[in-house]
Amino acid sequence: DIQLTQSPSTLPASLGERVTISCRASQSISNSLNWYQQKPDGTVKRLIYSTSTLESGVPSRFSGSGSGTDYSLSISSLESEDFAMYYCLQYATYPLTFGSGTKLEIK
Amino acid sequence: QVQMKETGPGLVQTTQTLSVTCTVSGFSLTSYGVHWVRQAPGKGLEWMGIIWGDGSTNYNSALKSRLSISRDTSKSQVFLTMNSLQTDDTAVYYCAEQYFDFWGPGTMVTVSS
């Protein structure tokens, strides 16, 4: 199974700050990676698919990049609604696997 | 407009079998697959399995021996069945459309002795 190592597990940040979350795969996943946001009520929303394609309706302050085994999600200028959990998901190979999550919290 | 909703028993006894239903609207189960994902309290997301549009399935290897996913296309419903439950199967169970564009709100299942 492909393991995804997501870091950091917790990310304290301030409004307006730029942040980056990393997701490293145990083998190449050929850009088959999505990013999800989960709010405290459990609602899950896809932000980015295929490494860097922004989901319709998602603010442009979100961006994704990477290749091979290393991927990242960046938020250019944090707004209050961005404080949530974030997960990466690889779909290159079954079984699908999620990263362990990053809690983006207010500093 | 795609909608998905999970319905579960709420509370299940250990060693018993869990049955959760995902009812979908806005797309055909013969055209798109449906995933099951779960999240234990305070933990991350765990992919459980998928039933594809052609009815075939893929499962998480760690759960494969206990897990079955089936469907009733006439009712637009997908079923998760998992046996030999233990307390660490306590989780919110989600269904999601094949491309993870759409998720249900999840249903909490508590496994208790």
Side-chain angles (χ1 to χ4, degrees), chain A residues 1 34 36 38 41-46 49 55 87 89 91 94-101, chain B residues 35 37 39 43-47 50 52 58-62 94 98-101 103-105:
Chain A
D1 298 1
N34 296 345
Y36 297 87
Q38 186 179 35
D41 68 356
T43 304
V44 180
K45 176 182 178 181
R46 191 172 71 173
Y49 61 94
E55 186 69 42
Y87 294 91
L89 165 75
Y91 57 92
Y94 279 79
L96 307 187
T97 45
F98 286 93
S100 54
Chain B
H35 298 273
V37 176
Q39 185 172 38
K43 302 295 184 182
L45 300 169
E46 179 183 27
W47 181 78
I50 182 173
W52 296 96
N58 287 95
Y59 297 116
N60 183 324
S61 51
Y94 296 94
Q98 179 175 326
Y99 297 103
F100 290 105
D101 281 350
W103 295 60

Side-chain angles (χ1 to χ4, degrees), chain A residues 16 19 23 27 29 43-44 46 53 56 71 73 75 84 99:
Chain A
V19 297
C23 185
Q27 63 190 74
I29 55 173
T43 304
V44 180
R46 191 172 71 173
T53 304
S56 176
Y71 299 84
L73 170 72
I75 311 173

Side-chain angles (χ1 to χ4, degrees), chain A residues 45-107:
Chain A
K45 176 182 178 181
R46 191 172 71 173
L47 301 174
I48 302 276
Y49 61 94
S50 300
T51 297
S52 59
T53 304
L54 196 65
E55 186 69 42
S56 176
V58 172
S60 59
R61 63 181 180 273
F62 290 90
S63 63
S65 65
S67 63
T69 60
D70 292 331
Y71 299 84
S72 62
L73 170 72
S74 295
I75 311 173
S76 61
S77 180
L78 283 171
E79 299 195 5
S80 57
E81 62 263 32
D82 300 336
F83 292 95
M85 287 292 298
Y86 292 85
Y87 294 91
C88 52
L89 165 75
Q90 71 79 21
Y91 57 92
T93 305
Y94 279 79
L96 307 187
T97 45
F98 286 93
S100 54
T102 294
K103 183 178 183 180
L104 181 55
E105 61 181 29
I106 298 175
K107 186 186 292 183

